[in-house]
Each structure stands twice: as C-alpha cells, then as structure tokens.
Amino acid sequence: MPAQKILLLGPAAGRLRALVEKVTAIEAKHGPFVAAFLVGDVFEKGDSLDDDETALLDGSLKLPIPTYFFYGTHMPDDVQSKLEAKCPERAGLVQLVPNLTYMGSAGLAVVHGFRIAFCGGVSLAAPPMGSESHDATRAPEIDWHASLPVRADAVEKTSTWTPLDTPAAVTKAVHHMLSHPAMALGEARAPPPPSDPESLQQARSFQYAQAAYEFQLERDAEVLQARPPVDFLLTTSWPLGIDVLAQAPPSNAAVWGQPAIARLAEAARPRYHVVHAPIHSAEPGVFWEREPYENPPFAALPPPSVPPITRFVSLATAANASKVRWFLALQLAPADEVTTAARPSPLTPSPLWMVASEPPSHKKGSAKRVHTGETERSGARPRRQRRTEAPVGPDQCWFCLSNPAVEKHLIVAVGMECYVALPKGQLPVSSDEHTLVPGGGHVLIVPIMHTPSLYASASSEAVRHEVAAWKAALTSCYASMDAVPVTWEVVRRGTRAGHTQTQVVPIARELAEACEAYIRQAGEDAGYAWEAPSVADVWSHEDAPVSPQDREDYCCIEIDGRRLLLLLHGTRFNIQFPRETLAAFLEMPERGDWRSCVRAPEVEEAECSRL
C-alpha cells in the first residue's frame, strides 16, 4: 500500500466552524487526505448544542475529509442519542454524519490500513492502576466483544462506547485495552542500579532483578513477534514521564502525566502518540513535538529492519486565537507495509520504561522471577542440630533465578515485588473432573528478593502490600468458580527454608467453615497453641501487640479470610503441617507430600497454561 496522507487535529469544542474552514483550506492546498483524527472533545459541555454543532448534525456544516473522533471528556445527550439510534449495539465505528465517524470511548480500530488505539476520558487524578485506594467499583462494566457493524473500515472487536467520565472508568478501560493481542506485552522493566553500590544486599537484589528482567524479556520478545503493530495511539491524557530525557518539555508536563496512560503507551509502542494538553479557561493548550524515543530492545529478537520508535506530539485547541499549532499532517504507509526505516536524530531512550504503571514516588524496576518448587520438607521431629544448619543461598534456592536448575515453565504471572507460580507437585489433581480451577489452581506467591520472611526488613512493606494484592486477585478468580482460597505462610529460622512464600489452594466455598474447624483441631491435637483471634487479626500490622521477634518464626493460615496464627517461639514444628492437614481434610492424604505429586514437565506446562 503506498504512503497516504493523514491529518491529526486538536479539540474542536467551541471552534467547530473555524476547524472546518481550516481543514478545508489544508485539504485544498496539501490534499488529498484519506482521513483525519480528532483528539479531544468535538462538542462543548452543556445540555444544549450551539449553532455550529447543530449545523454539523443537520448537514449544513460539513467536514471536507473523512474525520474520526472518539469520546473526549464528555458527550452531549443529543449526540449520544443520535449515535445509539444509528448503532443500538453501542460498539464499533458508526457514521454520525457524512465525513464524521465515531470510534467509541476506548479501543482499537483499523482505518485505511492504519491500526489506531485510542482512549478518552477525564484526567486520571485518582490513584494509578493497582492502588488499593482506587475505587474500581465505580467503573462501569465494559463489553469488549460486542457485535460490530460491518464496514469497509473494519474495527477490531475491542472498542466500547461506555462513557469514561470518572478516573475509575478510564483506568478500567486501560486495563481492558492492555489485554488485547495488539497491546499485549509482558511486565519487563530494567531494574535501577543500587543506590549504594557497596551494599551487599542491594548488589544481590540488583543481580536477581537483572536476571529476572532478562527472563521476562524473552517472554516479551515472543509476544512482540506475534502481535500486529500500532500506528497511532490517541489519548486525552499525557503519559507520566514523557518529559524525562526531553530537551525542552513544557513546564507543566510532569504534572499532566498519568501512570495508567504511561503503561498504555509503553505497551502499545505506537509509531505516533498524539495527545492534547489539559485546557484551562481560555488557554489554548500547548503544541509540543518531543524528540523521538526508541522502545526497549529485546535480545531474543533479531534486529528489526524498522526501529521500534515512537514520536510523541501534543496538539493545542483547534483554531485558537493564540495561533498555537493544533494540527499535524503526515504522509506515511501503515506499519504492516513498512519494511525499512531510518533512525531519526536526535533520538532518546524510552522515557516510559521505568515509570509505566507506577506512581512517581515508587520508581523501582519490575523484576521478574520464576519458580521451581516448594519449601524443603522437614520431618515432624527435627534434629536438635537443625538450628545450626545454614540456610539455602540464592545460588541454590529453588525460588531464585540465579539457580541454574530453575524450571521456567511453572511461572504464572509476575508483578513489581512478587511473582506467582505453580509449585512442584500441587495439591489439587488438575485432571480430576471435580477440580474447581483450571490447571488445579494451587499457586505460590513468592517475593522476588531472596528473603526468609515477609518481615525481614523495612523494605518488606512493599512486598507485603503486593502479596495482599495477589491474594485479593486470586480470591476474585476463585470466587468466579465458587471456590475460596486457603493460604499459608511458614517461617522457621534456622532451617534450610531460606526464601519465604505464600501458598494458595482453592477449595469449595461450602467447605470453608468445616476446613477452619478441622485445621484448628488438628493443630491442637499436635500440641500447637493457636493465638487468640484478636491477636491473629492484627498480627500483620506494624502496631500489632506482638514483637518483631514473634514475626520471625510463625505459621499463618487463612481460610477465606479467617486467620489462624501460631507464634512458634523456638518450639518444634512440622513446616508441612498446613499442606498435610489440608490434604487430609480434602480426603487425599496421599498428596500431603508434594514429592509424590510431581508431574512430567509437559503436564506442568499445560497446567500453567490453563491457569
């Protein structure tokens, strides 16, 4: 397909007639353009339409070239009703009037061979994705697979018309967009160098993070090879960090940036990312064309003939009186048709690499890990010399990537501080027709850093926060299958269990109460003294009525959120007690020992894929 001319336009609200007149002049002098894309609001806020907006809808004011727009920050009721009358499915592309087509509020579309990703909505002033203080319940449900009208310009089945009028709705839309194959990408982040290079702990942490990062790059490379390229990303908010490494960014660029949009841009890796700056009162916004930046390389991929480069452009309000530039004319072929391209100069590294999906106060690298097994089993009667045994080091730890014997096929998901993986020899039988969760559902939540406890250091707070987030996500997952989680952590200093983990096993919801009673009774029969509920409920809080020493050796079991706690105080304890007891409760005592449940690698890989 030969190169085609594309026009990008700033917000037109309140300036429709001036925009039409200017676009007509541009088309006459520099056309023909195959399409124009309008970024931001087309219509002014308010219940009624002004004269120019009414003229646009009745056809007396007409755009000269096919123009596409998406939900900015609002949509008048009259326009929404007209769109819904034309397309009751409320999804996909629909022509509002001749030469003016609505794409939706967020999604992906293919127009004249160009793949367009877009996301409108209000400024994301709320906490970023992943923040527990964020009220995700306010976000409306989005149907990303609704049937779409058949058009010459086909839209991929990812668009929604849901109004993005709250930060929660925008954040949810971004999450859904990131799940699309054209946007899918792993969580690889290069770890930052240690702040204190002479600190052995920081040096080791950096080593583990770097190794995990390289592993995740391999996975990301496979995804990149399979997914189609994105030509344009159009958003109504700036990405956080876009001003980093730039020579002369606008003074307010850092304030305008949003973490969720940074994650979206970093995953999309578009050829062009076009936005408009926040507009206040009569200000026109800003025009800023950032130096092109190169998206991170992937060592597992062959060198690309077309460098993975993004050009970021901010457009001002259309036809503004200050004559700040508000349009961008391009001549290019769709990315699918491009075979070679020169590297521009100047060129910077990606400014989004370290900040996507994170608040500014937490700019750590997202290290990744893989998993190869459960904690070593100890007998019910450990020898007295147990206290003198040296813990397993990182180079031999089953949970550290620096161990050359790791089995990468068991990894399920990765995060900023922890990863989730299948254990060797999970408790549920994945092939049993009565197993509730596909693949079995028994997982381990493991801190990335080699640590014996979630309370080992001050830096453990971030780890504990993410463990809680993973547990909440698994609880939601299991709930959809009428199951609840049983989780446990065992920390026993002086054993060879040098890397803590939280084990999570789904059981049928109706068994939760009986399971709690069974485990409590089994502990009492074994001579263990459970802490009072008042202690167990607040034990993980920093101001809990237990000392830091109490947190060093403990067994904590939760059944659907109800906590049972043992503070071990140097007493003998079988660290396989939680699994053996749960296996007995589920009437499969033969599976109490994980070593009797290990499957062939190809079976484990299939289990991981299903989960």
mmCIF file of all heavy atoms in Angstrom, residues 520-552:
data_model
loop_
_atom_site.group_PDB
_atom_site.id
_atom_site.type_symbol
_atom_site.label_atom_id
_atom_site.label_comp_id
_atom_site.label_asym_id
_atom_site.label_seq_id
_atom_site.Cartn_x
_atom_site.Cartn_y
_atom_site.Cartn_z
ATOM 1 N N ARG A 520 -7.948 -26.174 62.886
ATOM 2 C CA ARG A 520 -7.781 -25.752 64.289
ATOM 3 C C ARG A 520 -7.659 -26.967 65.205
ATOM 4 O O ARG A 520 -6.777 -27.031 66.074
ATOM 5 C CB ARG A 520 -8.966 -24.879 64.708
ATOM 6 C CG ARG A 520 -8.822 -24.320 66.126
ATOM 7 C CD ARG A 520 -10.035 -23.472 66.489
ATOM 8 N NE ARG A 520 -10.100 -22.253 65.707
ATOM 9 C CZ ARG A 520 -9.421 -21.143 65.990
ATOM 10 N NH1 ARG A 520 -8.612 -21.117 67.061
ATOM 11 N NH2 ARG A 520 -9.527 -20.081 65.242
ATOM 12 N N GLN A 521 -8.524 -27.956 64.993
ATOM 13 C CA GLN A 521 -8.487 -29.151 65.838
ATOM 14 C C GLN A 521 -7.209 -29.946 65.603
ATOM 15 O O GLN A 521 -6.592 -30.452 66.554
ATOM 16 C CB GLN A 521 -9.709 -30.033 65.548
ATOM 17 C CG GLN A 521 -9.828 -31.245 66.467
ATOM 18 C CD GLN A 521 -9.984 -30.846 67.938
ATOM 19 O OE1 GLN A 521 -10.836 -30.034 68.263
ATOM 20 N NE2 GLN A 521 -9.140 -31.397 68.818
ATOM 21 N N ALA A 522 -6.760 -30.017 64.327
ATOM 22 C CA ALA A 522 -5.532 -30.752 64.021
ATOM 23 C C ALA A 522 -4.336 -30.103 64.707
ATOM 24 O O ALA A 522 -3.429 -30.796 65.200
ATOM 25 C CB ALA A 522 -5.317 -30.812 62.516
ATOM 26 N N GLY A 523 -4.307 -28.779 64.742
ATOM 27 C CA GLY A 523 -3.218 -28.095 65.431
ATOM 28 C C GLY A 523 -3.220 -28.372 66.913
ATOM 29 O O GLY A 523 -2.161 -28.611 67.528
ATOM 30 N N GLU A 524 -4.394 -28.342 67.533
ATOM 31 C CA GLU A 524 -4.481 -28.612 68.957
ATOM 32 C C GLU A 524 -4.066 -30.044 69.266
ATOM 33 O O GLU A 524 -3.368 -30.315 70.258
ATOM 34 C CB GLU A 524 -5.910 -28.345 69.439
ATOM 35 C CG GLU A 524 -6.296 -26.869 69.364
ATOM 36 C CD GLU A 524 -7.759 -26.630 69.692
ATOM 37 O OE1 GLU A 524 -8.484 -27.628 69.906
ATOM 38 O OE2 GLU A 524 -8.176 -25.455 69.743
ATOM 39 N N ASP A 525 -4.469 -30.990 68.393
ATOM 40 C CA ASP A 525 -4.085 -32.389 68.590
ATOM 41 C C ASP A 525 -2.578 -32.562 68.496
ATOM 42 O O ASP A 525 -1.999 -33.467 69.123
ATOM 43 C CB ASP A 525 -4.771 -33.272 67.555
ATOM 44 C CG ASP A 525 -6.278 -33.339 67.754
ATOM 45 O OD1 ASP A 525 -6.743 -32.954 68.850
ATOM 46 O OD2 ASP A 525 -6.986 -33.760 66.818
ATOM 47 N N ALA A 526 -1.930 -31.728 67.686
ATOM 48 C CA ALA A 526 -0.476 -31.814 67.535
ATOM 49 C C ALA A 526 0.259 -31.061 68.638
ATOM 50 O O ALA A 526 1.503 -31.044 68.649
ATOM 51 C CB ALA A 526 -0.063 -31.268 66.172
ATOM 52 N N GLY A 527 -0.463 -30.402 69.523
ATOM 53 C CA GLY A 527 0.155 -29.690 70.623
ATOM 54 C C GLY A 527 0.485 -28.245 70.320
ATOM 55 O O GLY A 527 1.222 -27.604 71.075
ATOM 56 N N TYR A 528 -0.062 -27.705 69.234
ATOM 57 C CA TYR A 528 0.207 -26.309 68.874
ATOM 58 C C TYR A 528 -0.810 -25.402 69.577
ATOM 59 O O TYR A 528 -1.985 -25.746 69.711
ATOM 60 C CB TYR A 528 0.119 -26.104 67.366
ATOM 61 C CG TYR A 528 1.059 -26.990 66.564
ATOM 62 C CD1 TYR A 528 0.673 -27.486 65.326
ATOM 63 C CD2 TYR A 528 2.318 -27.322 67.041
ATOM 64 C CE1 TYR A 528 1.522 -28.298 64.583
ATOM 65 C CE2 TYR A 528 3.173 -28.127 66.313
ATOM 66 C CZ TYR A 528 2.765 -28.622 65.076
ATOM 67 O OH TYR A 528 3.612 -29.419 64.357
ATOM 68 N N ALA A 529 -0.353 -24.219 69.970
ATOM 69 C CA ALA A 529 -1.218 -23.271 70.672
ATOM 70 C C ALA A 529 -1.568 -22.122 69.740
ATOM 71 O O ALA A 529 -0.726 -21.264 69.446
ATOM 72 C CB ALA A 529 -0.514 -22.738 71.922
ATOM 73 N N TRP A 530 -2.793 -22.093 69.255
ATOM 74 C CA TRP A 530 -3.241 -21.020 68.371
ATOM 75 C C TRP A 530 -3.358 -19.713 69.150
ATOM 76 O O TRP A 530 -3.810 -19.706 70.301
ATOM 77 C CB TRP A 530 -4.593 -21.354 67.738
ATOM 78 C CG TRP A 530 -4.608 -22.596 66.896
ATOM 79 C CD1 TRP A 530 -5.157 -23.792 67.220
ATOM 80 C CD2 TRP A 530 -4.047 -22.751 65.594
ATOM 81 N NE1 TRP A 530 -4.986 -24.696 66.207
ATOM 82 C CE2 TRP A 530 -4.300 -24.075 65.182
ATOM 83 C CE3 TRP A 530 -3.354 -21.910 64.727
ATOM 84 C CZ2 TRP A 530 -3.886 -24.578 63.965
ATOM 85 C CZ3 TRP A 530 -2.942 -22.407 63.510
ATOM 86 C CH2 TRP A 530 -3.200 -23.714 63.133
ATOM 87 N N GLU A 531 -2.975 -18.630 68.527
ATOM 88 C CA GLU A 531 -3.151 -17.321 69.150
ATOM 89 C C GLU A 531 -4.629 -16.949 69.172
ATOM 90 O O GLU A 531 -5.422 -17.426 68.352
ATOM 91 C CB GLU A 531 -2.358 -16.257 68.388
ATOM 92 C CG GLU A 531 -0.862 -16.450 68.429
ATOM 93 C CD GLU A 531 -0.290 -16.352 69.836
ATOM 94 O OE1 GLU A 531 -0.771 -15.475 70.597
ATOM 95 O OE2 GLU A 531 0.605 -17.146 70.174
ATOM 96 N N ALA A 532 -4.991 -16.084 70.097
ATOM 97 C CA ALA A 532 -6.375 -15.617 70.177
ATOM 98 C C ALA A 532 -6.744 -14.868 68.900
ATOM 99 O O ALA A 532 -5.883 -14.241 68.259
ATOM 100 C CB ALA A 532 -6.544 -14.696 71.376
ATOM 101 N N PRO A 533 -8.002 -14.921 68.495
ATOM 102 C CA PRO A 533 -8.414 -14.215 67.269
ATOM 103 C C PRO A 533 -8.044 -12.740 67.273
ATOM 104 O O PRO A 533 -7.695 -12.183 66.234
ATOM 105 C CB PRO A 533 -9.932 -14.415 67.254
ATOM 106 C CG PRO A 533 -10.147 -15.691 68.008
ATOM 107 C CD PRO A 533 -9.095 -15.700 69.076
ATOM 108 N N SER A 534 -8.091 -12.099 68.437
ATOM 109 C CA SER A 534 -7.767 -10.674 68.492
ATOM 110 C C SER A 534 -6.310 -10.427 68.114
ATOM 111 O O SER A 534 -5.978 -9.402 67.507
ATOM 112 C CB SER A 534 -8.044 -10.129 69.890
ATOM 113 O OG SER A 534 -7.270 -10.836 70.866
ATOM 114 N N VAL A 535 -5.420 -11.347 68.464
ATOM 115 C CA VAL A 535 -4.011 -11.225 68.091
ATOM 116 C C VAL A 535 -3.826 -11.583 66.625
ATOM 117 O O VAL A 535 -3.118 -10.899 65.884
ATOM 118 C CB VAL A 535 -3.131 -12.115 68.986
ATOM 119 C CG1 VAL A 535 -1.684 -12.090 68.503
ATOM 120 C CG2 VAL A 535 -3.216 -11.663 70.435
ATOM 121 N N ALA A 536 -4.460 -12.679 66.189
ATOM 122 C CA ALA A 536 -4.299 -13.130 64.810
ATOM 123 C C ALA A 536 -4.782 -12.095 63.809
ATOM 124 O O ALA A 536 -4.170 -11.911 62.747
ATOM 125 C CB ALA A 536 -5.061 -14.446 64.608
ATOM 126 N N ASP A 537 -5.848 -11.393 64.134
ATOM 127 C CA ASP A 537 -6.439 -10.448 63.181
ATOM 128 C C ASP A 537 -5.567 -9.226 62.953
ATOM 129 O O ASP A 537 -5.594 -8.627 61.877
ATOM 130 C CB ASP A 537 -7.828 -10.015 63.650
ATOM 131 C CG ASP A 537 -8.850 -11.135 63.520
ATOM 132 O OD1 ASP A 537 -8.571 -12.103 62.787
ATOM 133 O OD2 ASP A 537 -9.911 -11.039 64.158
ATOM 134 N N VAL A 538 -4.797 -8.813 63.963
ATOM 135 C CA VAL A 538 -3.999 -7.595 63.827
ATOM 136 C C VAL A 538 -2.506 -7.892 63.766
ATOM 137 O O VAL A 538 -1.688 -6.985 63.693
ATOM 138 C CB VAL A 538 -4.270 -6.618 64.990
ATOM 139 C CG1 VAL A 538 -5.719 -6.219 65.025
ATOM 140 C CG2 VAL A 538 -3.843 -7.221 66.334
ATOM 141 N N TRP A 539 -2.156 -9.167 63.744
ATOM 142 C CA TRP A 539 -0.758 -9.581 63.845
ATOM 143 C C TRP A 539 0.118 -8.978 62.756
ATOM 144 O O TRP A 539 1.259 -8.606 62.987
ATOM 145 C CB TRP A 539 -0.703 -11.104 63.785
ATOM 146 C CG TRP A 539 0.652 -11.685 63.562
ATOM 147 C CD1 TRP A 539 1.625 -11.870 64.501
ATOM 148 C CD2 TRP A 539 1.181 -12.160 62.331
ATOM 149 N NE1 TRP A 539 2.735 -12.446 63.927
ATOM 150 C CE2 TRP A 539 2.491 -12.636 62.592
ATOM 151 C CE3 TRP A 539 0.683 -12.236 61.031
ATOM 152 C CZ2 TRP A 539 3.298 -13.167 61.593
ATOM 153 C CZ3 TRP A 539 1.481 -12.769 60.049
ATOM 154 C CH2 TRP A 539 2.773 -13.225 60.326
ATOM 155 N N SER A 540 -0.390 -8.830 61.538
ATOM 156 C CA SER A 540 0.441 -8.344 60.435
ATOM 157 C C SER A 540 0.629 -6.836 60.459
ATOM 158 O O SER A 540 1.443 -6.305 59.717
ATOM 159 C CB SER A 540 -0.176 -8.755 59.090
ATOM 160 O OG SER A 540 -1.461 -8.181 58.935
ATOM 161 N N HIS A 541 -0.127 -6.125 61.292
ATOM 162 C CA HIS A 541 0.007 -4.672 61.355
ATOM 163 C C HIS A 541 1.277 -4.293 62.123
ATOM 164 O O HIS A 541 1.712 -4.991 63.037
ATOM 165 C CB HIS A 541 -1.211 -4.041 62.044
ATOM 166 C CG HIS A 541 -2.487 -4.326 61.317
ATOM 167 N ND1 HIS A 541 -3.718 -4.065 61.881
ATOM 168 C CD2 HIS A 541 -2.739 -4.858 60.100
ATOM 169 C CE1 HIS A 541 -4.668 -4.423 61.025
ATOM 170 N NE2 HIS A 541 -4.090 -4.903 59.941
ATOM 171 N N GLU A 542 1.864 -3.160 61.756
ATOM 172 C CA GLU A 542 3.100 -2.740 62.399
ATOM 173 C C GLU A 542 2.893 -2.442 63.888
ATOM 174 O O GLU A 542 3.806 -2.566 64.694
ATOM 175 C CB GLU A 542 3.651 -1.496 61.694
ATOM 176 C CG GLU A 542 4.098 -1.771 60.268
ATOM 177 C CD GLU A 542 5.177 -2.841 60.181
ATOM 178 O OE1 GLU A 542 5.976 -2.953 61.135
ATOM 179 O OE2 GLU A 542 5.213 -3.571 59.183
ATOM 180 N N ASP A 543 1.674 -2.024 64.271
ATOM 181 C CA ASP A 543 1.413 -1.710 65.674
ATOM 182 C C ASP A 543 0.719 -2.861 66.392
ATOM 183 O O ASP A 543 0.050 -2.680 67.400
ATOM 184 C CB ASP A 543 0.564 -0.444 65.778
ATOM 185 C CG ASP A 543 -0.757 -0.567 65.006
ATOM 186 O OD1 ASP A 543 -0.934 -1.568 64.281
ATOM 187 O OD2 ASP A 543 -1.605 0.328 65.154
ATOM 188 N N ALA A 544 0.891 -4.077 65.878
ATOM 189 C CA ALA A 544 0.244 -5.235 66.488
ATOM 190 C C ALA A 544 0.862 -5.544 67.847
ATOM 191 O O ALA A 544 2.024 -5.223 68.105
ATOM 192 C CB ALA A 544 0.390 -6.444 65.565
ATOM 193 N N PRO A 545 0.096 -6.192 68.752
ATOM 194 C CA PRO A 545 0.599 -6.488 70.106
ATOM 195 C C PRO A 545 1.523 -7.705 70.118
ATOM 196 O O PRO A 545 1.404 -8.576 70.974
ATOM 197 C CB PRO A 545 -0.698 -6.745 70.883
ATOM 198 C CG PRO A 545 -1.624 -7.308 69.867
ATOM 199 C CD PRO A 545 -1.309 -6.564 68.584
ATOM 200 N N VAL A 546 2.437 -7.805 69.151
ATOM 201 C CA VAL A 546 3.462 -8.843 69.135
ATOM 202 C C VAL A 546 4.773 -8.167 68.761
ATOM 203 O O VAL A 546 4.792 -7.128 68.114
ATOM 204 C CB VAL A 546 3.139 -9.971 68.122
ATOM 205 C CG1 VAL A 546 1.921 -10.747 68.554
ATOM 206 C CG2 VAL A 546 2.940 -9.404 66.730
ATOM 207 N N SER A 547 5.862 -8.758 69.172
ATOM 208 C CA SER A 547 7.170 -8.169 68.917
ATOM 209 C C SER A 547 7.685 -8.590 67.552
ATOM 210 O O SER A 547 7.225 -9.571 66.983
ATOM 211 C CB SER A 547 8.151 -8.625 69.999
ATOM 212 O OG SER A 547 8.380 -10.026 69.872
ATOM 213 N N PRO A 548 8.661 -7.870 67.002
ATOM 214 C CA PRO A 548 9.279 -8.287 65.734
ATOM 215 C C PRO A 548 9.846 -9.701 65.801
ATOM 216 O O PRO A 548 9.844 -10.430 64.817
ATOM 217 C CB PRO A 548 10.378 -7.245 65.526
ATOM 218 C CG PRO A 548 9.914 -6.043 66.287
ATOM 219 C CD PRO A 548 9.198 -6.594 67.476
ATOM 220 N N GLN A 549 10.331 -10.101 67.010
ATOM 221 C CA GLN A 549 10.860 -11.453 67.145
ATOM 222 C C GLN A 549 9.774 -12.498 66.936
ATOM 223 O O GLN A 549 10.022 -13.586 66.414
ATOM 224 C CB GLN A 549 11.499 -11.634 68.524
ATOM 225 C CG GLN A 549 12.799 -10.858 68.725
ATOM 226 C CD GLN A 549 12.573 -9.363 68.916
ATOM 227 O OE1 GLN A 549 11.473 -8.959 69.296
ATOM 228 N NE2 GLN A 549 13.593 -8.553 68.665
ATOM 229 N N ASP A 550 8.553 -12.172 67.328
ATOM 230 C CA ASP A 550 7.446 -13.108 67.135
ATOM 231 C C ASP A 550 7.185 -13.352 65.660
ATOM 232 O O ASP A 550 6.734 -14.430 65.269
ATOM 233 C CB ASP A 550 6.168 -12.571 67.800
ATOM 234 C CG ASP A 550 6.235 -12.643 69.314
ATOM 235 O OD1 ASP A 550 6.854 -13.589 69.825
ATOM 236 O OD2 ASP A 550 5.676 -11.747 69.968
ATOM 237 N N ARG A 551 7.448 -12.339 64.847
ATOM 238 C CA ARG A 551 7.178 -12.491 63.422
ATOM 239 C C ARG A 551 8.263 -13.303 62.714
ATOM 240 O O ARG A 551 8.113 -13.668 61.572
ATOM 241 C CB ARG A 551 7.046 -11.116 62.766
ATOM 242 C CG ARG A 551 5.863 -10.296 63.264
ATOM 243 C CD ARG A 551 5.636 -9.083 62.377
ATOM 244 N NE ARG A 551 4.534 -8.269 62.842
ATOM 245 C CZ ARG A 551 4.664 -7.192 63.611
ATOM 246 N NH1 ARG A 551 5.863 -6.833 64.010
ATOM 247 N NH2 ARG A 551 3.617 -6.490 63.986
ATOM 248 N N GLU A 552 9.381 -13.553 63.416
ATOM 249 C CA GLU A 552 10.453 -14.292 62.762
ATOM 250 C C GLU A 552 10.079 -15.746 62.551
ATOM 251 O O GLU A 552 10.358 -16.330 61.510
ATOM 252 C CB GLU A 552 11.735 -14.186 63.587
ATOM 253 C CG GLU A 552 12.367 -12.793 63.529
ATOM 254 C CD GLU A 552 13.731 -12.771 64.166
ATOM 255 O OE1 GLU A 552 14.145 -13.816 64.712
ATOM 256 O OE2 GLU A 552 14.385 -11.719 64.115
#
